[in-house]
Amino acid sequence: MAAAAPPPAPTPAPEPATSLPETTPLFTRIRLATPADVPHIHKLIHQMAVFERLTHLFSATESSLAATLFSPTAQPFHSFTLFLLEASPKPFAVSSVDSNPFFTPLTKYVNLSIPIEDPERETFKTTDDVTVVGFVLFFPNYSTFLGKPGFYVEDLFVRECYRRKGFGRMLLSAVAKQAVKMGYGRVEWVVLDWNVNAIKFYEEMGADLLNEWRICRLTGEALQAYGGAD
Amino acid sequence: MAAAAPPPAPTPAPEPATSLPETTPLFTRIRLATPADVPHIHKLIHQMAVFERLTHLFSATESSLAATLFSPTAQPFHSFTLFLLEASPKPFAVSSVDSNPFFTPLTKYVNLSIPIEDPERETFKTTDDVTVVGFVLFFPNYSTFLGKPGFYVEDLFVRECYRRKGFGRMLLSAVAKQAVKMGYGRVEWVVLDWNVNAIKFYEEMGADLLNEWRICRLTGEALQAYGGAD
């Protein structure tokens, strides 16, 4: 979908019952996705389609994603780019992702006030202790008025059991941080006008809503009709 | 501006008075812009800012445009891409632009029912008879649901004396045609919700309006604040 999925709503975590709260220490890591992540990415996008009740529009396959997201000539941040957020109960072992020439992973320790029950832990496991939590897909856009590029965030998605814990903010902040690093002028995305929780969250993150603009889309047969146009 | 400029409104040309209408034969050409076009591009973008009453947001310079639009590693259609529309009273002479490896120029003969008075002919001249009429700036975007790229049209602009003559449609059609050629799934752009003429024009071109979506923008100091975030 041409849209960032709704982020964690900014509601507080439920109060613990009587005993001391059980905490969940988590080590998190944001890194560039690789072709090896495509099966997980495909499942995450499908979950997003289910969440948005738009599975009838979902036609991506693992092979279409692999061919278009990881073109050999495309360079991260200058083309379609995907950050994957992973979590682990133990510190991340040193691995090849740490020496990626385009992006040094961002790691962070968080201590959640409630335990996480992950019914899909096996499905989204990358190594023994590491699980995929969510992703953000973005790519450069351009402002002629600024005379410089920005980033457009196409998708932001966090798996259900990890929502409302700050992970959406973590992913979006990583994109903003990268934009600043590259001297880019803007980060933009879209939100559904009825999604008041998401709008509130984005405004708290410092974003403005451009209420007057509407998206126009030429697709399907209407687009194909231009194939032979002169 | 993050937006396609309003296109020619689809109103009919005025009826000729009594004598036979004076016609204006024009040869048109759509080609990829080159770094040599930057002075013209800068002036066109400035005119667009004036038209949209947004000159206070205009900070692009010739050098910022040259550095960001024509990066040596960027390949047309896979990064920021600019089609320039030129017109001439004579057929275009064979030139180096005809052998561009990425795009063969689209030429078309049009016979307008009224003469064109161009007060800025000298300013926008590229060669003796050839004048820049307008431009379209676009770049790839990505649909995770389709699992394939599309094009996003950032700007569509036609100089005032050339408006309402089909040139906006010509530029947008060229982008759509290129999208089909590349097997891309969508062409998207934005329009102001009060610009009913533009909306009618886009719908006639086959586009759908996505009325529920709103653009979120993180820019300026709010964006810079993420530079040091962890």
Side-chain angles (χ1 to χ4, degrees), chain A residues 1 68 142 144 155 177 188-189 191 193 205 212 214 216-217 226 229, chain B residues 68 142 144 155 177 188-189 191 193 205 212 214 216-217 226 229:
Chain A
M1 186 57 204
T68 53
Y142 193 85
T144 37
D155 288 319
K177 191 182 171 85
E188 295 178 311
W189 62 93
V191 64
D193 63 350
M205 282 196 71
E212 286 190 316
R214 295 294 173 271
C216 296
R217 176 179 292 172
Y226 287 89
Chain B
T68 53
Y142 193 85
T144 37
D155 287 319
K177 191 183 170 84
E188 295 178 309
W189 62 94
V191 64
D193 63 349
M205 282 195 72
E212 286 190 314
R214 296 294 173 271
C216 296
R217 177 179 291 172
Y226 287 90

PDB file of all heavy atoms in Angstrom, chain A residues 1 68 142 144 155 177 188-189 191 193 205 212 214 216-217 226 229, chain B residues 68 142 144 155 177 188-189 191 193 205 212 214 216-217 226 229:
ATOM      1  N   MET A   1       0.856  -1.192   0.000  1.00  0.00           N
ATOM      2  CA  MET A   1       0.000   0.000   0.000  1.00  0.00           C
ATOM      3  C   MET A   1       0.884   1.232   0.000  1.00  0.00           C
ATOM      4  O   MET A   1       1.955   1.222   0.589  1.00  0.00           O
ATOM      5  CB  MET A   1      -0.872  -0.057   1.265  1.00  0.00           C
ATOM      6  CG  MET A   1      -1.918   1.029   1.368  1.00  0.00           C
ATOM      7  SD  MET A   1      -3.006   1.017  -0.069  1.00  0.00           S
ATOM      8  CE  MET A   1      -3.571   2.696  -0.045  1.00  0.00           C
ATOM      9  N   THR A  68      13.111  -6.515  -7.440  1.00  0.00           N
ATOM     10  CA  THR A  68      12.929  -5.062  -7.515  1.00  0.00           C
ATOM     11  C   THR A  68      13.536  -4.330  -6.324  1.00  0.00           C
ATOM     12  O   THR A  68      13.927  -3.166  -6.455  1.00  0.00           O
ATOM     13  CB  THR A  68      11.435  -4.713  -7.615  1.00  0.00           C
ATOM     14  OG1 THR A  68      10.744  -5.356  -6.534  1.00  0.00           O
ATOM     15  CG2 THR A  68      10.847  -5.189  -8.938  1.00  0.00           C
ATOM     16  N   TYR A 142      12.278  14.193  -4.154  1.00  0.00           N
ATOM     17  CA  TYR A 142      13.014  15.408  -4.514  1.00  0.00           C
ATOM     18  C   TYR A 142      12.119  16.628  -4.359  1.00  0.00           C
ATOM     19  O   TYR A 142      10.959  16.606  -4.771  1.00  0.00           O
ATOM     20  CB  TYR A 142      13.493  15.322  -5.967  1.00  0.00           C
ATOM     21  CG  TYR A 142      14.514  16.391  -6.308  1.00  0.00           C
ATOM     22  CD1 TYR A 142      15.856  16.193  -6.033  1.00  0.00           C
ATOM     23  CD2 TYR A 142      14.128  17.602  -6.867  1.00  0.00           C
ATOM     24  CE1 TYR A 142      16.795  17.171  -6.300  1.00  0.00           C
ATOM     25  CE2 TYR A 142      15.062  18.601  -7.135  1.00  0.00           C
ATOM     26  CZ  TYR A 142      16.399  18.374  -6.859  1.00  0.00           C
ATOM     27  OH  TYR A 142      17.325  19.345  -7.120  1.00  0.00           O
ATOM     28  N   THR A 144      11.937  20.375  -5.683  1.00  0.00           N
ATOM     29  CA  THR A 144      12.534  21.373  -6.580  1.00  0.00           C
ATOM     30  C   THR A 144      12.673  22.720  -5.878  1.00  0.00           C
ATOM     31  O   THR A 144      13.570  23.492  -6.199  1.00  0.00           O
ATOM     32  CB  THR A 144      11.678  21.557  -7.848  1.00  0.00           C
ATOM     33  OG1 THR A 144      10.309  21.458  -7.516  1.00  0.00           O
ATOM     34  CG2 THR A 144      12.018  20.520  -8.886  1.00  0.00           C
ATOM     35  N   ASP A 155       6.375   2.428   3.674  1.00  0.00           N
ATOM     36  CA  ASP A 155       5.768   1.528   4.654  1.00  0.00           C
ATOM     37  C   ASP A 155       6.498   1.571   5.973  1.00  0.00           C
ATOM     38  O   ASP A 155       7.730   1.615   6.006  1.00  0.00           O
ATOM     39  CB  ASP A 155       5.838   0.067   4.169  1.00  0.00           C
ATOM     40  CG  ASP A 155       4.887  -0.217   3.037  1.00  0.00           C
ATOM     41  OD1 ASP A 155       3.753   0.271   3.090  1.00  0.00           O
ATOM     42  OD2 ASP A 155       5.293  -0.923   2.103  1.00  0.00           O
ATOM     43  N   LYS A 177      17.053  10.357  11.052  1.00  0.00           N
ATOM     44  CA  LYS A 177      18.474  10.521  11.399  1.00  0.00           C
ATOM     45  C   LYS A 177      19.350  10.371  10.151  1.00  0.00           C
ATOM     46  O   LYS A 177      20.285  11.149   9.928  1.00  0.00           O
ATOM     47  CB  LYS A 177      18.839   9.441  12.427  1.00  0.00           C
ATOM     48  CG  LYS A 177      20.188   9.598  13.092  1.00  0.00           C
ATOM     49  CD  LYS A 177      20.392   8.398  14.043  1.00  0.00           C
ATOM     50  CE  LYS A 177      21.793   8.353  14.585  1.00  0.00           C
ATOM     51  NZ  LYS A 177      21.948   9.191  15.772  1.00  0.00           N
ATOM     52  N   GLU A 188       8.923  12.433   4.289  1.00  0.00           N
ATOM     53  CA  GLU A 188       7.472  12.493   4.076  1.00  0.00           C
ATOM     54  C   GLU A 188       6.869  11.091   4.028  1.00  0.00           C
ATOM     55  O   GLU A 188       7.547  10.126   3.686  1.00  0.00           O
ATOM     56  CB  GLU A 188       7.160  13.235   2.768  1.00  0.00           C
ATOM     57  CG  GLU A 188       7.561  14.698   2.814  1.00  0.00           C
ATOM     58  CD  GLU A 188       7.307  15.447   1.525  1.00  0.00           C
ATOM     59  OE1 GLU A 188       7.711  14.936   0.455  1.00  0.00           O
ATOM     60  OE2 GLU A 188       6.718  16.535   1.568  1.00  0.00           O
ATOM     61  N   TRP A 189       5.590  11.003   4.344  1.00  0.00           N
ATOM     62  CA  TRP A 189       4.839   9.748   4.245  1.00  0.00           C
ATOM     63  C   TRP A 189       3.371  10.123   4.219  1.00  0.00           C
ATOM     64  O   TRP A 189       3.043  11.312   4.271  1.00  0.00           O
ATOM     65  CB  TRP A 189       5.189   8.816   5.412  1.00  0.00           C
ATOM     66  CG  TRP A 189       4.863   9.330   6.768  1.00  0.00           C
ATOM     67  CD1 TRP A 189       3.724   9.119   7.485  1.00  0.00           C
ATOM     68  CD2 TRP A 189       5.700  10.171   7.603  1.00  0.00           C
ATOM     69  NE1 TRP A 189       3.789   9.769   8.695  1.00  0.00           N
ATOM     70  CE2 TRP A 189       4.979  10.422   8.790  1.00  0.00           C
ATOM     71  CE3 TRP A 189       6.967  10.750   7.448  1.00  0.00           C
ATOM     72  CZ2 TRP A 189       5.496  11.221   9.829  1.00  0.00           C
ATOM     73  CZ3 TRP A 189       7.466  11.541   8.469  1.00  0.00           C
ATOM     74  CH2 TRP A 189       6.746  11.765   9.646  1.00  0.00           C
ATOM     75  N   VAL A 191      -0.796   9.194   5.625  1.00  0.00           N
ATOM     76  CA  VAL A 191      -1.587   8.580   6.700  1.00  0.00           C
ATOM     77  C   VAL A 191      -3.057   8.705   6.320  1.00  0.00           C
ATOM     78  O   VAL A 191      -3.448   9.664   5.626  1.00  0.00           O
ATOM     79  CB  VAL A 191      -1.275   9.289   8.049  1.00  0.00           C
ATOM     80  CG1 VAL A 191      -1.703  10.748   8.035  1.00  0.00           C
ATOM     81  CG2 VAL A 191      -1.917   8.563   9.229  1.00  0.00           C
ATOM     82  N   ASP A 193      -6.827   9.711   6.836  1.00  0.00           N
ATOM     83  CA  ASP A 193      -7.336  10.874   7.578  1.00  0.00           C
ATOM     84  C   ASP A 193      -8.139  10.494   8.822  1.00  0.00           C
ATOM     85  O   ASP A 193      -8.281  11.281   9.737  1.00  0.00           O
ATOM     86  CB  ASP A 193      -8.144  11.803   6.660  1.00  0.00           C
ATOM     87  CG  ASP A 193      -9.379  11.136   6.092  1.00  0.00           C
ATOM     88  OD1 ASP A 193      -9.523   9.901   6.238  1.00  0.00           O
ATOM     89  OD2 ASP A 193     -10.205  11.838   5.494  1.00  0.00           O
ATOM     90  N   MET A 205       5.829  13.548  16.794  1.00  0.00           N
ATOM     91  CA  MET A 205       7.195  13.343  16.285  1.00  0.00           C
ATOM     92  C   MET A 205       7.704  14.561  15.521  1.00  0.00           C
ATOM     93  O   MET A 205       8.835  14.567  15.032  1.00  0.00           O
ATOM     94  CB  MET A 205       7.245  12.104  15.400  1.00  0.00           C
ATOM     95  CG  MET A 205       7.262  10.807  16.216  1.00  0.00           C
ATOM     96  SD  MET A 205       7.776   9.371  15.236  1.00  0.00           S
ATOM     97  CE  MET A 205       9.529   9.672  14.974  1.00  0.00           C
ATOM     98  N   GLU A 212      -4.363  20.001   2.476  1.00  0.00           N
ATOM     99  CA  GLU A 212      -5.003  20.394   1.209  1.00  0.00           C
ATOM    100  C   GLU A 212      -4.640  19.495   0.032  1.00  0.00           C
ATOM    101  O   GLU A 212      -5.263  19.574  -1.011  1.00  0.00           O
ATOM    102  CB  GLU A 212      -4.607  21.828   0.851  1.00  0.00           C
ATOM    103  CG  GLU A 212      -5.301  22.877   1.699  1.00  0.00           C
ATOM    104  CD  GLU A 212      -5.055  24.273   1.125  1.00  0.00           C
ATOM    105  OE1 GLU A 212      -3.898  24.573   0.752  1.00  0.00           O
ATOM    106  OE2 GLU A 212      -6.010  25.043   1.031  1.00  0.00           O
ATOM    107  N   ARG A 214      -4.106  16.155  -2.289  1.00  0.00           N
ATOM    108  CA  ARG A 214      -4.686  14.834  -2.544  1.00  0.00           C
ATOM    109  C   ARG A 214      -3.781  14.066  -3.503  1.00  0.00           C
ATOM    110  O   ARG A 214      -3.216  14.648  -4.438  1.00  0.00           O
ATOM    111  CB  ARG A 214      -6.069  14.971  -3.194  1.00  0.00           C
ATOM    112  CG  ARG A 214      -7.110  15.624  -2.320  1.00  0.00           C
ATOM    113  CD  ARG A 214      -7.463  14.777  -1.105  1.00  0.00           C
ATOM    114  NE  ARG A 214      -8.349  15.526  -0.211  1.00  0.00           N
ATOM    115  CZ  ARG A 214      -7.919  16.331   0.767  1.00  0.00           C
ATOM    116  NH1 ARG A 214      -6.637  16.496   1.001  1.00  0.00           N
ATOM    117  NH2 ARG A 214      -8.782  16.966   1.525  1.00  0.00           N
ATOM    118  N   CYS A 216      -3.085  11.615  -6.549  1.00  0.00           N
ATOM    119  CA  CYS A 216      -3.677  11.123  -7.787  1.00  0.00           C
ATOM    120  C   CYS A 216      -2.903   9.877  -8.190  1.00  0.00           C
ATOM    121  O   CYS A 216      -1.676   9.848  -8.107  1.00  0.00           O
ATOM    122  CB  CYS A 216      -3.533  12.152  -8.911  1.00  0.00           C
ATOM    123  SG  CYS A 216      -4.425  13.677  -8.616  1.00  0.00           S
ATOM    124  N   ARG A 217      -3.638   8.864  -8.636  1.00  0.00           N
ATOM    125  CA  ARG A 217      -2.985   7.606  -9.011  1.00  0.00           C
ATOM    126  C   ARG A 217      -3.510   7.116 -10.359  1.00  0.00           C
ATOM    127  O   ARG A 217      -4.708   6.963 -10.550  1.00  0.00           O
ATOM    128  CB  ARG A 217      -3.232   6.549  -7.942  1.00  0.00           C
ATOM    129  CG  ARG A 217      -2.662   5.184  -8.306  1.00  0.00           C
ATOM    130  CD  ARG A 217      -2.908   4.162  -7.222  1.00  0.00           C
ATOM    131  NE  ARG A 217      -2.132   4.485  -6.018  1.00  0.00           N
ATOM    132  CZ  ARG A 217      -2.273   3.853  -4.853  1.00  0.00           C
ATOM    133  NH1 ARG A 217      -3.159   2.886  -4.740  1.00  0.00           N
ATOM    134  NH2 ARG A 217      -1.533   4.199  -3.825  1.00  0.00           N
ATOM    135  N   TYR A 226      -1.669   4.122 -21.896  1.00  0.00           N
ATOM    136  CA  TYR A 226      -0.647   5.070 -22.365  1.00  0.00           C
ATOM    137  C   TYR A 226       0.530   4.381 -23.045  1.00  0.00           C
ATOM    138  O   TYR A 226       1.398   5.036 -23.588  1.00  0.00           O
ATOM    139  CB  TYR A 226      -0.155   5.943 -21.207  1.00  0.00           C
ATOM    140  CG  TYR A 226      -1.184   6.972 -20.803  1.00  0.00           C
ATOM    141  CD1 TYR A 226      -2.150   6.676 -19.854  1.00  0.00           C
ATOM    142  CD2 TYR A 226      -1.232   8.220 -21.424  1.00  0.00           C
ATOM    143  CE1 TYR A 226      -3.126   7.592 -19.499  1.00  0.00           C
ATOM    144  CE2 TYR A 226      -2.187   9.154 -21.074  1.00  0.00           C
ATOM    145  CZ  TYR A 226      -3.134   8.832 -20.122  1.00  0.00           C
ATOM    146  OH  TYR A 226      -4.098   9.738 -19.789  1.00  0.00           O
ATOM    147  N   ALA A 229       0.399   5.268 -26.590  1.00  0.00           N
ATOM    148  CA  ALA A 229       0.064   6.665 -26.889  1.00  0.00           C
ATOM    149  C   ALA A 229       1.233   7.381 -27.551  1.00  0.00           C
ATOM    150  O   ALA A 229       2.385   7.034 -27.318  1.00  0.00           O
ATOM    151  CB  ALA A 229      -0.322   7.380 -25.596  1.00  0.00           C
TER     152      ALA A 229
ATOM    153  N   THR B  68      22.333  17.996  -7.501  1.00  0.00           N
ATOM    154  CA  THR B  68      21.429  16.953  -7.013  1.00  0.00           C
ATOM    155  C   THR B  68      20.623  16.286  -8.124  1.00  0.00           C
ATOM    156  O   THR B  68      20.237  15.135  -7.999  1.00  0.00           O
ATOM    157  CB  THR B  68      20.453  17.536  -5.967  1.00  0.00           C
ATOM    158  OG1 THR B  68      19.804  18.681  -6.539  1.00  0.00           O
ATOM    159  CG2 THR B  68      21.176  17.940  -4.700  1.00  0.00           C
ATOM    160  N   TYR B 142       7.777   3.093  -4.950  1.00  0.00           N
ATOM    161  CA  TYR B 142       7.688   1.638  -4.831  1.00  0.00           C
ATOM    162  C   TYR B 142       6.394   1.248  -4.149  1.00  0.00           C
ATOM    163  O   TYR B 142       6.012   1.859  -3.156  1.00  0.00           O
ATOM    164  CB  TYR B 142       8.875   1.094  -4.010  1.00  0.00           C
ATOM    165  CG  TYR B 142       9.012  -0.413  -4.105  1.00  0.00           C
ATOM    166  CD1 TYR B 142       9.708  -0.980  -5.159  1.00  0.00           C
ATOM    167  CD2 TYR B 142       8.407  -1.254  -3.177  1.00  0.00           C
ATOM    168  CE1 TYR B 142       9.823  -2.359  -5.280  1.00  0.00           C
ATOM    169  CE2 TYR B 142       8.510  -2.634  -3.290  1.00  0.00           C
ATOM    170  CZ  TYR B 142       9.224  -3.179  -4.341  1.00  0.00           C
ATOM    171  OH  TYR B 142       9.325  -4.538  -4.473  1.00  0.00           O
ATOM    172  N   THR B 144       4.882  -1.852  -2.173  1.00  0.00           N
ATOM    173  CA  THR B 144       5.151  -3.179  -1.604  1.00  0.00           C
ATOM    174  C   THR B 144       4.020  -4.151  -1.930  1.00  0.00           C
ATOM    175  O   THR B 144       4.258  -5.350  -2.039  1.00  0.00           O
ATOM    176  CB  THR B 144       5.321  -3.109  -0.072  1.00  0.00           C
ATOM    177  OG1 THR B 144       4.411  -2.161   0.441  1.00  0.00           O
ATOM    178  CG2 THR B 144       6.720  -2.716   0.290  1.00  0.00           C
ATOM    179  N   ASP B 155       6.801  17.464 -10.160  1.00  0.00           N
ATOM    180  CA  ASP B 155       6.424  18.742 -10.764  1.00  0.00           C
ATOM    181  C   ASP B 155       6.011  18.563 -12.213  1.00  0.00           C
ATOM    182  O   ASP B 155       6.666  17.821 -12.960  1.00  0.00           O
ATOM    183  CB  ASP B 155       7.607  19.715 -10.758  1.00  0.00           C
ATOM    184  CG  ASP B 155       7.916  20.243  -9.389  1.00  0.00           C
ATOM    185  OD1 ASP B 155       6.972  20.547  -8.646  1.00  0.00           O
ATOM    186  OD2 ASP B 155       9.106  20.348  -9.060  1.00  0.00           O
ATOM    187  N   LYS B 177       3.735   6.674 -20.439  1.00  0.00           N
ATOM    188  CA  LYS B 177       4.227   5.787 -21.496  1.00  0.00           C
ATOM    189  C   LYS B 177       5.536   5.105 -21.066  1.00  0.00           C
ATOM    190  O   LYS B 177       5.731   3.907 -21.281  1.00  0.00           O
ATOM    191  CB  LYS B 177       4.452   6.640 -22.755  1.00  0.00           C
ATOM    192  CG  LYS B 177       4.716   5.873 -24.048  1.00  0.00           C
ATOM    193  CD  LYS B 177       4.993   6.906 -25.154  1.00  0.00           C
ATOM    194  CE  LYS B 177       5.491   6.255 -26.418  1.00  0.00           C
ATOM    195  NZ  LYS B 177       4.385   5.760 -27.254  1.00  0.00           N
ATOM    196  N   GLU B 188       1.988   8.309  -9.919  1.00  0.00           N
ATOM    197  CA  GLU B 188       1.270   9.056  -8.882  1.00  0.00           C
ATOM    198  C   GLU B 188       1.785  10.494  -8.798  1.00  0.00           C
ATOM    199  O   GLU B 188       2.925  10.772  -9.151  1.00  0.00           O
ATOM    200  CB  GLU B 188       1.433   8.371  -7.520  1.00  0.00           C
ATOM    201  CG  GLU B 188       0.776   6.997  -7.470  1.00  0.00           C
ATOM    202  CD  GLU B 188       0.967   6.286  -6.140  1.00  0.00           C
ATOM    203  OE1 GLU B 188       2.129   6.197  -5.687  1.00  0.00           O
ATOM    204  OE2 GLU B 188      -0.022   5.823  -5.573  1.00  0.00           O
ATOM    205  N   TRP B 189       0.933  11.366  -8.318  1.00  0.00           N
ATOM    206  CA  TRP B 189       1.313  12.758  -8.076  1.00  0.00           C
ATOM    207  C   TRP B 189       0.297  13.340  -7.105  1.00  0.00           C
ATOM    208  O   TRP B 189      -0.619  12.621  -6.687  1.00  0.00           O
ATOM    209  CB  TRP B 189       1.366  13.558  -9.397  1.00  0.00           C
ATOM    210  CG  TRP B 189       0.076  13.653 -10.137  1.00  0.00           C
ATOM    211  CD1 TRP B 189      -0.850  14.653 -10.062  1.00  0.00           C
ATOM    212  CD2 TRP B 189      -0.438  12.685 -11.086  1.00  0.00           C
ATOM    213  NE1 TRP B 189      -1.910  14.360 -10.898  1.00  0.00           N
ATOM    214  CE2 TRP B 189      -1.691  13.176 -11.531  1.00  0.00           C
ATOM    215  CE3 TRP B 189       0.012  11.467 -11.592  1.00  0.00           C
ATOM    216  CZ2 TRP B 189      -2.475  12.490 -12.462  1.00  0.00           C
ATOM    217  CZ3 TRP B 189      -0.775  10.783 -12.513  1.00  0.00           C
ATOM    218  CH2 TRP B 189      -1.993  11.287 -12.942  1.00  0.00           C
ATOM    219  N   VAL B 191      -2.304  16.825  -5.945  1.00  0.00           N
ATOM    220  CA  VAL B 191      -3.016  18.000  -6.454  1.00  0.00           C
ATOM    221  C   VAL B 191      -3.686  18.677  -5.256  1.00  0.00           C
ATOM    222  O   VAL B 191      -4.048  18.009  -4.282  1.00  0.00           O
ATOM    223  CB  VAL B 191      -4.064  17.569  -7.521  1.00  0.00           C
ATOM    224  CG1 VAL B 191      -5.151  16.676  -6.923  1.00  0.00           C
ATOM    225  CG2 VAL B 191      -4.682  18.783  -8.221  1.00  0.00           C
ATOM    226  N   ASP B 193      -6.667  20.218  -3.206  1.00  0.00           N
ATOM    227  CA  ASP B 193      -8.074  19.781  -3.222  1.00  0.00           C
ATOM    228  C   ASP B 193      -9.025  20.829  -3.797  1.00  0.00           C
ATOM    229  O   ASP B 193     -10.105  20.490  -4.259  1.00  0.00           O
ATOM    230  CB  ASP B 193      -8.521  19.329  -1.820  1.00  0.00           C
ATOM    231  CG  ASP B 193      -8.481  20.458  -0.794  1.00  0.00           C
ATOM    232  OD1 ASP B 193      -7.911  21.534  -1.097  1.00  0.00           O
ATOM    233  OD2 ASP B 193      -9.008  20.266   0.313  1.00  0.00           O
ATOM    234  N   MET B 205      -7.749  12.017 -17.562  1.00  0.00           N
ATOM    235  CA  MET B 205      -6.572  11.269 -18.009  1.00  0.00           C
ATOM    236  C   MET B 205      -6.560   9.845 -17.440  1.00  0.00           C
ATOM    237  O   MET B 205      -5.640   9.076 -17.714  1.00  0.00           O
ATOM    238  CB  MET B 205      -5.288  12.009 -17.625  1.00  0.00           C
ATOM    239  CG  MET B 205      -5.008  13.178 -18.568  1.00  0.00           C
ATOM    240  SD  MET B 205      -3.297  13.786 -18.416  1.00  0.00           S
ATOM    241  CE  MET B 205      -2.344  12.468 -19.177  1.00  0.00           C
ATOM    242  N   GLU B 212      -8.770   9.805   1.021  1.00  0.00           N
ATOM    243  CA  GLU B 212      -8.607   9.588   2.460  1.00  0.00           C
ATOM    244  C   GLU B 212      -7.178   9.817   2.962  1.00  0.00           C
ATOM    245  O   GLU B 212      -6.962   9.900   4.158  1.00  0.00           O
ATOM    246  CB  GLU B 212      -9.019   8.162   2.831  1.00  0.00           C
ATOM    247  CG  GLU B 212     -10.522   7.917   2.810  1.00  0.00           C
ATOM    248  CD  GLU B 212     -10.846   6.566   3.433  1.00  0.00           C
ATOM    249  OE1 GLU B 212     -10.157   5.582   3.099  1.00  0.00           O
ATOM    250  OE2 GLU B 212     -11.756   6.493   4.257  1.00  0.00           O
ATOM    251  N   ARG B 214      -3.553  11.591   3.704  1.00  0.00           N
ATOM    252  CA  ARG B 214      -2.953  12.897   3.968  1.00  0.00           C
ATOM    253  C   ARG B 214      -1.436  12.752   3.997  1.00  0.00           C
ATOM    254  O   ARG B 214      -0.916  11.759   4.521  1.00  0.00           O
ATOM    255  CB  ARG B 214      -3.422  13.462   5.312  1.00  0.00           C
ATOM    256  CG  ARG B 214      -4.903  13.753   5.384  1.00  0.00           C
ATOM    257  CD  ARG B 214      -5.335  14.877   4.463  1.00  0.00           C
ATOM    258  NE  ARG B 214      -6.776  15.011   4.459  1.00  0.00           N
ATOM    259  CZ  ARG B 214      -7.601  14.347   3.625  1.00  0.00           C
ATOM    260  NH1 ARG B 214      -7.107  13.514   2.742  1.00  0.00           N
ATOM    261  NH2 ARG B 214      -8.889  14.525   3.683  1.00  0.00           N
ATOM    262  N   CYS B 216       2.174  13.575   5.406  1.00  0.00           N
ATOM    263  CA  CYS B 216       2.871  14.021   6.613  1.00  0.00           C
ATOM    264  C   CYS B 216       4.264  14.456   6.197  1.00  0.00           C
ATOM    265  O   CYS B 216       4.916  13.762   5.408  1.00  0.00           O
ATOM    266  CB  CYS B 216       3.015  12.893   7.620  1.00  0.00           C
ATOM    267  SG  CYS B 216       1.458  12.292   8.263  1.00  0.00           S
ATOM    268  N   ARG B 217       4.716  15.562   6.732  1.00  0.00           N
ATOM    269  CA  ARG B 217       6.047  16.070   6.365  1.00  0.00           C
ATOM    270  C   ARG B 217       6.836  16.454   7.606  1.00  0.00           C
ATOM    271  O   ARG B 217       6.374  17.241   8.429  1.00  0.00           O
ATOM    272  CB  ARG B 217       5.893  17.289   5.444  1.00  0.00           C
ATOM    273  CG  ARG B 217       7.226  17.934   5.073  1.00  0.00           C
ATOM    274  CD  ARG B 217       7.036  19.118   4.155  1.00  0.00           C
ATOM    275  NE  ARG B 217       6.580  18.685   2.848  1.00  0.00           N
ATOM    276  CZ  ARG B 217       6.176  19.522   1.884  1.00  0.00           C
ATOM    277  NH1 ARG B 217       6.155  20.817   2.107  1.00  0.00           N
ATOM    278  NH2 ARG B 217       5.785  19.061   0.714  1.00  0.00           N
ATOM    279  N   TYR B 226      16.413  15.165  14.819  1.00  0.00           N
ATOM    280  CA  TYR B 226      16.707  13.734  14.796  1.00  0.00           C
ATOM    281  C   TYR B 226      18.170  13.422  14.480  1.00  0.00           C
ATOM    282  O   TYR B 226      18.586  12.266  14.543  1.00  0.00           O
ATOM    283  CB  TYR B 226      15.791  13.004  13.796  1.00  0.00           C
ATOM    284  CG  TYR B 226      14.374  12.910  14.328  1.00  0.00           C
ATOM    285  CD1 TYR B 226      13.449  13.900  14.062  1.00  0.00           C
ATOM    286  CD2 TYR B 226      13.998  11.843  15.123  1.00  0.00           C
ATOM    287  CE1 TYR B 226      12.161  13.839  14.569  1.00  0.00           C
ATOM    288  CE2 TYR B 226      12.719  11.756  15.635  1.00  0.00           C
ATOM    289  CZ  TYR B 226      11.803  12.755  15.359  1.00  0.00           C
ATOM    290  OH  TYR B 226      10.539  12.690  15.877  1.00  0.00           O
ATOM    291  N   ALA B 229      19.649  12.022  17.485  1.00  0.00           N
ATOM    292  CA  ALA B 229      18.821  11.066  18.241  1.00  0.00           C
ATOM    293  C   ALA B 229      19.438   9.669  18.222  1.00  0.00           C
ATOM    294  O   ALA B 229      20.149   9.314  17.281  1.00  0.00           O
ATOM    295  CB  ALA B 229      17.416  11.019  17.619  1.00  0.00           C
TER     296      ALA B 229
END
